[in-house]
């Protein structure tokens, strides 16, 4: 008999009600439950590994129970125990808790259990809570609730509460228990049981709790104050979770009365912050917030609303006068599917998009804020997919219509693959159901060799792993899928005799076949109806199908954020909700100290910042004298740090170069220094870019912060390589419960995979004889015996008189020609197979196949549901290990996109502090999701004058007159600093001293944007730019931008003339020999220009393109094909370190800097359309990246209409530099200008137009570099000689070297050059 079964049976017979059996012998068990003397609990003890095996000992102090033990006989003999319950050889280990519910001592039970929960061992907590959520544990909880219900006297009620209920509450509200992934199921079970049918048990329990709390508080003494505080916190935490899990509590009046009773009896002096937060969330759910006393408010000036005429909006779902738009149009965002439905795609009505004016929302307060952010973010991401798929459906429905193939100015790039069919299904252990899709090869690779097809697909970056695609059918069916890795093994029935070549040919391949490509796909979101449709449509069909790909669009980049917003809308719980989403009638804002800093006796220790003893008590005045003396922070930074530590929601503005990151590091170090006293847990550090996050975390590591974990795999820092979550988690040891659960779930997944494989073998070959055989065997024995009664071999053949024939095919073709009947299937079921005509046999055979297919499909769906359940449980086991690692960290670093992908994990780490850098660039939706549950302190560092968040839909942008009413790209940071109507303004600290730019450069942004910006003395000492006379220069030109081809892949802009100028100027700068890696940067507003510059400079330099720019190039189809040699190998270009330079778009260069910056403005047109650079935010970033020198190449006439360009032209630094003006002609007299013909020999040009003793300036340099005669080509190659040549007169320079370096001339161009002496 199975030893496990024996053990379970005997334990049950002897009253052992809690037991856990695991298959991990040879390890010491780390947990046990010990009862006090005289209790009725069975004492549990664990012995270490003994001579041969593991022994489990248990002894009962209840006379009703016998002494029991499980282990080897030798172990039992050593313990002197004579009664043996079961014996094994180490195959099984048993842990158990025995109790007898009718006579259980609940006091000892819950107090002992709480002691175990308090231990630092995660395995013990998991064991206790798992058992408490089992059937026997629920019986003990019921015993407790019955005792509470039957108590009449207040003294008894208080005693029961203190001795029994409070330990129970502390167990089920322990932060590690509530946030555990692996304990979700038992905890939900406990709370659901505690709530009871229609909430009756919960009402009884909390009426008793309210009575006990009021009695404890009334008789409260100073010695009992701590107990009362714990009792209040635990009770409210349990009540909050109870109401959260059981939403029907919101309509049960009794709970409102209980909350009011508890709220009324709690004095303010013992109301700890977490209890206050729980009470606030409870009242918000029960809509009883008006009953709470309000703290005094401070007046905040409100914006006076401007008069405007607004058209009425068509509200969502059933609120619309015209009814719901489609099946995915709901008034609650919690009911909206993330990806669009077929009805949604087909709908012609405009989606409901909430306006920025909260007064016009259909919901108010926090619900309205979350609703607006969800709908606008979904429209910006999913809306573009919806519109692209709609276009393709229209094309399939009307294939002969000459539809206008137009991609909107800001529409998503899409590619269409034609004549798609699903060929077969398979299953993957990690991904679940997968399907192979075949389609026609793109026209670009018709008549190409297999090697050429392979190179094209690799170079195109199309259909890469995790790419989002949509299957579109002419009948309106749409299924969203993602590309899977076909190189990984996928599970399916394989022929054991097939060779490797055969298996390779069966693997999906984009290039192996000349006319057809195939790709492995998985469901983007598993839906039963999609799986069923695929199962029934793997056969060839006359219906046209397409596959729409959205390059660069990844579902994980937006889905987790939208799901988090939905979850928040259900709970309506958000830190700082009263600030970020005030009620419409609110007229004041309260910025309080962080909740953890209000604990009695707490103050921040700032000794490490000041170098002398110094403390900060939030809410009290602070003397900056001691801090000034020993801190390396400047005055504005000091004030920002103190303000950030003193307020629960702090905003710090850091203009370019003012040390935002340095200030952020100082704040983080202050928090870490006080981490233990404040019980902070991990500090979440969020940055918009990977580069900024790496820089921040590297600063912390260098300052001695070692307990740091970085989430995500995009780090390029060697310093942080061992601090990623993946590497840290490798060293963590799972608990026994986790090991056991993983083993169980892996076993279950393996069983489900094998079951699914068997089912798919039938579904992939629906007409196979085995399907017929199985169907008949299960449903129609007479027909089975008639067809297969005499047997068939493995291939469906039967041998008769030495001849082999296929059983099913022979029957189908074997009807007598005399039989011509055509009876329905219902009649055929009762007839002999021999009596049927050929047509009847065909109809019946088809019926069998359909019936078998339907049964297989149903079985497959059941198996897939079981697989997904086990897979989800296994993922939770793995995440539980990650969660324990994150909880032990002092710092958790993550990007905004990484936070969205790991939102469920980070919500459980119980972080109290979140610091966000580059907050002005972060979408409000992402910032709101970063306000994790339990966060009490948020610090947002950014600059609303620099780049706004990037969005896809121009119709939702603030700078678009039509999009201003939505303003999705306004960050929370900017909204709080520049509040709209009905919102509150939050105090702002601004840093004032910049340490990046030379004063002549900083003045360009100081005058229009930062009037208080100061220059640190160090920037006054910057050297001149080597090889250039001026450090700031605008090369004005009139060369037009390139015309955009009508069939262009991208809608970006280019200017070939500026590319030529940049190539020559960068060559000249690099050849000075003084600029090291990445000291020189080329930036431009347009991806198209970036791609052209990259391609032009790649022949001479190693180009550094940022990750975000590279991703956008690939998403827009602007990446270059790799250069290959004749043998097909990719050529690797070698270059020196000095030749490395950065090339980036303006949008992806915020936070970066370089000694020398060269700017290509690109736009040059008669319409004077400035494009991207019409906004002050982008201009600000562009003008503030350079440290030593900046050179702008662009058409001043095109830029002049933009106010900030005009303001920059009026600055002192521009006016003092003759060449750095918007219109050079205004500053040059006619005699100062020379027209230089570049078609002539360089020597003749220089001798004719240059004066003696004239040091080389930019105008003459431009003449030279366009002819490939930069100073470095003309001068000697040695660095020392180059520097000497830089100061030679033009005449001497030309006469000495020009004749030795004659090169082919360009076509003749005319340019204006200033050749005046000393200019």
């Amino acid at each position: 008999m199975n030893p496990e079964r024996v053990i379970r049976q005997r334990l049950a017979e002897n009253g052992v009600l809690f037991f856990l059996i695991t298959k991990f012998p040879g390890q010491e068990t780390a947990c046990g439950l010990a009862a006090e003397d005289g209790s009725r609990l069975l004492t549990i003890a664990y012995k270490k590994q003994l001579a041969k095996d593991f022994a489990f000992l248990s002894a009962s102090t209840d006379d009703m129970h016998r002494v029991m033990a499980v282990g080897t006989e030798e172990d039992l003999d050593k313990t002197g125990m004579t009664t043996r319950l079961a014996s094994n050889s180490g195959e099984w280990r048993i842990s158990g808790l025995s109790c007898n519910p009718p006579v259980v001592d609940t006091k000892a039970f819950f107090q002992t259990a709480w002691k175990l929960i308090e231990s630092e061992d995660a395995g013990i907590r998991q064991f206790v809570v798992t058992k408490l959520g089992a059937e026997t544990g629920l019986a003990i909880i019921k015993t407790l609730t019955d005792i509470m219900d039957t108590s009449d006297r207040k003294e008894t009620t208080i005693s029961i509460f203190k001795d029994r209920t409070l330990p129970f509450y502390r167990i089920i509200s322990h932060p590690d228990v509530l946030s555990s992934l692996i304990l979700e199921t038992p905890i939900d079970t406990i709370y659901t049981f505690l709530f009871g049918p229609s909430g009756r048990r919960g009402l009884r329990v909390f009426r008793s709790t309210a009575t006990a709390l009021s009695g404890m508080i009334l008789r409260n003494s100073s010695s009992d104050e701590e107990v009362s505080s714990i009792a209040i916190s635990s009770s409210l935490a349990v009540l909050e979770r109870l109401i959260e899990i059981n939403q029907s509590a919101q309509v049960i009046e009794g709970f409102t009365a209980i909350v009011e009773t508890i709220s009324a009896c709690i004095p303010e002096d013992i109301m700890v912050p977490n209890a206050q937060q729980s009470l606030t969330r409870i009242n918000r759910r029960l809509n009883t917030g008006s009953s709470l006393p309000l703290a005094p408010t401070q007046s905040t000036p409100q914006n006076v609303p401007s008069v405007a005429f607004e058209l009425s909006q068509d509200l969502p779902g059933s609120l619309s006068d015209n009814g719901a738009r489609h099946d995915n149009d709901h008034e609650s965002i919690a009911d909206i599917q993330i990806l669009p439905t077929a009805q949604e795609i087909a709908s012609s009505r405009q989606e409901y998009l909430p306006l920025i004016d909260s007064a016009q929302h259909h919901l108010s307060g926090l619900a309205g804020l979350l609703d607006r952010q969800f709908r606008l973010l979904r429209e910006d991401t999913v809306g573009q997919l919806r519109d692209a798929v709609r276009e393709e459906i229209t094309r399939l429905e009307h294939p002969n219509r000459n539809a206008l193939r137009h991609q909107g100015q800001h529409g998503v790039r899409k590619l269409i693959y034609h004549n798609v069919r699903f060929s077969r299904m398979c299953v993957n252990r990690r991904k679940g159901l997968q399907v192979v899709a075949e389609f026609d090869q793109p026209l670009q690779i018709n008549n190409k060799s297999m090697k050429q097809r392979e190179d094209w697909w690799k170079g195109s970056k199309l259909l890469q792993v995790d790419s989002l695609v949509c299957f579109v059918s002419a009948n309106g069916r749409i299924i969203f899928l993602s590309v899977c890795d076909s190189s990984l093994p996928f599970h399916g029935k394989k022929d054991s005799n097939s060779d490797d070549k055969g298996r390779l040919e069966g693997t999906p391949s984009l290039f192996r076949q000349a006319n057809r490509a195939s790709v492995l796909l998985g469901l983007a979101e598993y839906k039963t109806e999609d799986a069923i449709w695929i199962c029934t449509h793997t056969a060839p069909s006359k219906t046209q199908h397409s596959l729409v790909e959205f390059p660069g669009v990844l579902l994980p980049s937006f889905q987790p954020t939208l799901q988090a917003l939905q979850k928040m809308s259900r709970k309506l719980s958000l830190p700082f909700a009263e600030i970020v989403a005030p009620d419409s009638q609110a007229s004041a804002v309260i910025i309080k100290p962080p909740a953890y800093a209000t604990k009695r006796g707490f103050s921040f220790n700032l000794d490490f910042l000041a170098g002398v003893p110094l403390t900060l008590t939030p809410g009290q005045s602070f003397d900056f004298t001691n801090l000034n003396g020993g801190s390396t922070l400047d005055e504005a930074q000091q004030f920002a740090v103190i303000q950030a530590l003193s307020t629960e929601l702090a905003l710090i503005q850091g203009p370019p170069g003012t040390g935002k990151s340095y200030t952020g590091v100082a704040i983080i170090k202050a928090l870490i220094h006080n981490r233990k006293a404040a019980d902070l847990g991990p500090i979440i550090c969020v940055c918009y870019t990977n580069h900024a996050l790496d820089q921040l975390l590297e600063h912390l590591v260098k300052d001695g912060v070692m307990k740091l974990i970085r989430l995500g795999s995009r780090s390029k820092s060697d310093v942080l390589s061992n601090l990623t979550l993946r590497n840290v988690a490798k060293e963590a040891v799972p608990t026994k419960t986790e090991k056991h659960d993983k083993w169980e779930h892996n076993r279950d997944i393996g069983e489900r995979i094998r079951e699914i494989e068997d089912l798919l073998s039938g579904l992939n070959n629906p007409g196979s004889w085995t399907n017929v055989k199985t169907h008949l065997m299960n449903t129609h024995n007479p027909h089975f015996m008639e067809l297969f009664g005499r047997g068939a071999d493995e291939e469906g053949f039967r041998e008769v008189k030495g001849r082999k024939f296929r059983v099913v095919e022979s029957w189908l073709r074997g009807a007598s020609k005399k039989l011509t009947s055509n009876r329905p299937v219902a009649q055929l079921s009762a007839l002999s197979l021999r009596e049927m005509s050929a047509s009847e046999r065909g109809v019946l055979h088809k019926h069998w196949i359909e019936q078998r297919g339907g049964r297989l499909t149903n079985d497959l769906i059941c198996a897939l549901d079981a697989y997904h359940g086990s897979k989800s449980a296994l993922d939770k086991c793995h995440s539980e290990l990650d969660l324990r690692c994150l909880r032990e960290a002092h710092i958790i670093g993550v990007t905004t996109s990484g936070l969205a992908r790991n939102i469920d994990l980070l919500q459980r780490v119980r972080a109290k502090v979140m610091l966000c850098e580059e907050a002005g660039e972060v979408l409000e939706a992402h910032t709101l999701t970063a306000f994790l549950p339990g966060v009490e302190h948020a610090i947002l560092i950014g600059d609303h004058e620099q780049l706004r968040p990037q969005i896809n839909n121009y119709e939702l942008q603030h700078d678009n007159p039509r999009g201003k009413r939505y303003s999705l790209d306004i960050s929370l940071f900017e909204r709080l600093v520049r509040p709209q109507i009905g919102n509150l303004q939050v105090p702002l600290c601004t840093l004032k001293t910049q340490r990046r730019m030379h004063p002549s450069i900083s003045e360009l942004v100081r005058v229009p944007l930062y009037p208080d910006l100061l220059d640190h003395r160090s920037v006054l000492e910057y050297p001149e730019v080597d090889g250039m006379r001026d450090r700031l220069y605008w090369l004005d030109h009139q060369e037009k931008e390139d015309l955009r081809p009508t069939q262009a892949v991208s809608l970006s802009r280019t200017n070939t003339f500026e590319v030529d100028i940049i190539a020559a100027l960068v060559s000249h700068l690099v050849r000075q020999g003084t600029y090291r890696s990445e000291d020189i940067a080329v930036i431009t507003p347009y991806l198209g220009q970036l791609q052209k510059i990259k391609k032009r400079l790649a022949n001479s330099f190693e180009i550094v393109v940022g990750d975000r720019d590279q991703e956008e190039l690939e998403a827009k189809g602007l990446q270059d094909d790799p250069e290959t040699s004749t043998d097909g190998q990719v050529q690797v270009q070698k270059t020196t370190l000095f030749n490395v330079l950065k090339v980036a778009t303006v949008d992806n260069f915020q936070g970066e800097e370089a000694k020398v910056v060269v700017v290509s403005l690109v736009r040059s047109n008669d319409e004077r359309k400035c494009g991207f650079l019409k906004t002050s935010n982008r201009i600000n970033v562009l003008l503030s990246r350079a440290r030593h020198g900046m050179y702008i190449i662009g058409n001043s006439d095109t830029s002049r209409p933009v106010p900030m360009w005009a303001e920059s032209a009026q600055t002192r630094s521009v006016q003092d530099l003759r060449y750095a003006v918007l219109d050079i002609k205004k500053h040059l007299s006619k005699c100062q200008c020379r027209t230089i013909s570049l078609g002539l020999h360089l020597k003749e040009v220089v001798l004719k137009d240059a004066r003696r003793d004239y040091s080389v300036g930019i105008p003459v340099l431009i003449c030279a570099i366009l002819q490939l005669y930069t100073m470095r080509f003309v001068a000697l190659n040695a660095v020392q000689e180059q520097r000497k040549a830089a100061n030679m007169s033009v005449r001497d320079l030309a006469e000495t070297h020009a004749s030795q370096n004659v090169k082919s001339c360009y076509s003749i161009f005319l340019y204006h050059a200033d050749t005046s002496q000393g200019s």
Side-chain angles (χ1 to χ4, degrees), residues 868-1170:
H868 286 293
S870 298
K871 179 65 166 55
S872 176
L874 180 62
D875 290 342
K876 287 181 179 180
C877 287
H878 290 300
S879 296
E880 186 77 14
L881 196 64
D882 293 340
L883 183 60
R884 284 212 307 280
C885 295
L886 291 174
R887 283 178 183 159
E888 293 185 22
H890 292 177
I891 299 292
I892 298 174
V894 64
T895 61
T896 52
S897 59
L899 186 144
R901 284 193 293 270
N902 295 278
I903 187 72
D904 192 49
L905 191 63
L906 290 172
Q907 284 178 336
R908 299 171 182 272
V909 299
R910 305 196 313 277
K912 292 183 180 178
V913 182
M914 187 277 293
L915 182 143
C916 179
E917 275 208 9
E918 306 171 305
E921 278 194 272
V922 180
L923 282 168
E924 179 164 356
H926 289 167
T927 307
L928 294 177
T929 56
F931 288 166
L932 303 170
V935 166
E936 302 172 1
H937 191 184
I939 302 155
L940 307 183
I941 304 175
D943 185 6
H944 54 284
E945 299 289 3
Q946 296 189 57
L947 290 181
R948 288 192 172 114
Q950 296 183 34
I951 63 174
N952 302 303
N953 193 339
Y954 182 63
E955 297 300 317
L956 303 177
Q957 287 185 14
H958 178 80
D959 291 322
N960 177 8
R962 297 185 304 277
K964 192 169 186 177
R965 60 184 187 154
Y966 303 115
S967 296
L968 176 61
D969 58 339
I970 297 294
S971 65
L972 177 64
F973 185 94
E974 181 173 358
R975 182 168 71 82
L976 295 178
V977 173
R978 295 173 174 168
Q980 303 292 324
I981 298 170
N983 291 318
L984 306 175
Q985 185 170 3
V986 176
L988 175 72
C989 294
T990 302
L991 308 182
K992 295 183 178 180
T993 304
Q994 71 89 15
R995 296 167 172 79
R996 174 188 295 163
M997 300 165 280
H998 187 272
S1000 62
I1001 300 174
S1002 65
E1003 191 176 2
L1004 298 176
V1005 295
R1006 175 167 38 246
V1007 171
L1009 298 176
Y1010 308 107
D1012 297 327
L1013 187 64
L1014 305 174
D1015 297 318
H1016 191 264
R1017 59 180 178 274
S1018 61
V1019 301
L1020 302 173
E1021 302 170 0
Y1022 281 163
E1024 298 288 337
V1025 178
D1026 280 350
M1028 309 297 285
R1029 187 180 62 181
D1030 302 312
R1031 71 169 72 247
L1032 178 62
Y1033 187 85
W1034 182 319
L1035 173 63
D1036 184 25
H1037 70 81
Q1038 300 296 320
E1039 294 296 322
K1040 303 303 180 188
E1041 63 198 57
D1042 302 336
L1043 294 176
R1044 192 163 55 192
T1046 55
Q1047 298 298 323
V1049 174
S1050 169
L1051 301 178
S1052 193
R1053 302 283 182 172
T1054 61
N1055 190 314
T1056 303
F1057 170 77
E1058 292 186 8
V1059 173
D1060 294 337
I1061 294 289
I1062 286 171
L1065 183 55
V1066 168
S1067 298
H1068 167 70
L1069 291 169
V1070 168
R1071 287 180 175 84
Q1072 303 309 306
T1074 56
Y1075 297 110
R1076 298 186 60 82
S1077 172
E1078 302 185 10
D1079 281 345
I1080 302 173
V1082 178
I1083 57 178
T1084 178
Y1086 291 95
L1087 273 174
Q1089 186 78 340
L1090 171 70
Q1091 190 256 355
K1092 272 185 170 288
I1093 294 171
K1094 174 187 170 187
K1095 189 173 183 180
R1096 176 66 182 274
L1097 296 179
N1099 295 325
S1100 306
F1101 309 104
E1102 182 178 337
I1103 307 300
V1104 176
V1105 177
D1107 293 338
R1108 289 161 60 198
D1109 277 323
Q1110 188 61 42
E1111 289 169 2
E1112 291 184 22
L1113 284 170
E1114 293 174 0
K1116 299 295 183 183
L1118 294 173
Q1119 71 279 1
D1120 298 320
D1121 294 332
E1123 296 184 10
T1124 56
S1125 60
T1126 54
D1127 61 358
Q1129 297 297 315
V1130 176
Q1131 294 178 336
V1132 179
Q1133 205 163 28
K1134 295 183 179 179
T1135 182
T1136 65
L1137 186 64
F1138 295 102
N1139 288 346
V1140 179
L1141 65 131
K1142 293 181 282 190
V1143 181
T1145 56
V1146 176
D1147 284 3
N1148 290 332
F1149 206 62
Q1150 178 162 319
E1152 307 276 353
E1153 62 181 43
K1155 287 183 179 178
V1156 181
V1157 171
V1158 181
V1159 179
S1160 172
L1161 299 182
V1162 181
R1163 301 307 299 271
S1164 178
N1165 51 69
D1166 295 331
E1167 295 80 15
R1168 302 169 79 181
K1169 291 183 178 179
C1170 198

Side-chain angles (χ1 to χ4, degrees), residues 445-489:
I445 52 177
N446 278 352
N447 304 317
K448 300 287 187 181
S449 67
M450 188 169 75
K451 176 61 177 169
Q452 289 172 321
R453 292 195 301 270
E454 181 180 8
D455 291 341
W456 185 89
W457 277 109
K458 288 181 179 179
S460 70
K461 307 289 186 182
L462 298 176
L463 292 178
Q464 293 190 307
V465 175
D466 292 332
S467 295
L468 184 65
V469 298
C470 183
F471 172 83
V472 181
S473 177
N475 61 18
R477 184 77 195 190
I478 62 111
I479 302 175
F480 283 94
L481 307 114
S482 60
V483 179
C484 300
D485 189 352
S486 58
S487 65
L488 297 176

Side-chain angles (χ1 to χ4, degrees), residues 1105-1266:
V1105 177
D1107 293 338
R1108 289 161 60 198
D1109 277 323
Q1110 188 61 42
E1111 289 169 2
E1112 291 184 22
L1113 284 170
E1114 293 174 0
K1116 299 295 183 183
L1118 294 173
Q1119 71 279 1
D1120 298 320
D1121 294 332
E1123 296 184 10
T1124 56
S1125 60
T1126 54
D1127 61 358
Q1129 297 297 315
V1130 176
Q1131 294 178 336
V1132 179
Q1133 205 163 28
K1134 295 183 179 179
T1135 182
T1136 65
L1137 186 64
F1138 295 102
N1139 288 346
V1140 179
L1141 65 131
K1142 293 181 282 190
V1143 181
T1145 56
V1146 176
D1147 284 3
N1148 290 332
F1149 206 62
Q1150 178 162 319
E1152 307 276 353
E1153 62 181 43
K1155 287 183 179 178
V1156 181
V1157 171
V1158 181
V1159 179
S1160 172
L1161 299 182
V1162 181
R1163 301 307 299 271
S1164 178
N1165 51 69
D1166 295 331
E1167 295 80 15
R1168 302 169 79 181
K1169 291 183 178 179
C1170 198
F1172 284 148
L1173 290 179
K1174 66 184 177 183
T1175 63
S1176 62
N1177 302 75
R1178 280 195 176 96
I1179 299 172
N1180 181 16
V1181 174
L1182 182 143
L1183 296 178
S1184 59
R1185 301 303 98 196
R1187 298 176 62 199
H1188 297 175
M1190 178 171 61
Y1191 304 96
I1192 302 173
I1193 303 169
N1195 185 333
S1196 63
D1197 289 335
T1198 302
S1199 303
R1200 188 183 295 112
V1202 179
M1204 186 168 172
W1205 284 124
E1207 289 181 41
S1208 297
Q1210 301 305 315
T1211 60
R1212 184 178 68 255
S1213 60
V1214 169
Q1215 292 172 342
D1216 289 348
L1217 292 172
R1218 189 166 299 182
Y1219 306 108
V1221 293
L1222 288 175
D1223 189 351
I1224 195 170
K1225 298 168 188 173
K1226 291 184 179 180
H1227 295 268
L1228 299 176
S1229 63
K1230 190 172 183 179
C1231 63
Q1232 289 177 317
C1233 293
R1234 298 287 187 272
T1235 298
I1236 300 178
S1237 175
L1238 294 185
L1240 301 177
H1241 194 285
L1242 177 65
K1243 181 176 179 180
E1244 296 174 355
V1245 174
V1246 175
L1247 293 179
K1248 178 179 178 181
D1249 289 336
R1251 300 182 180 182
R1252 191 153 187 88
D1253 299 323
Y1254 171 72
S1255 296
V1256 175
I1258 290 180
V1260 174
L1261 176 62
I1262 295 300
C1263 298
I1265 62 179
L1266 284 177

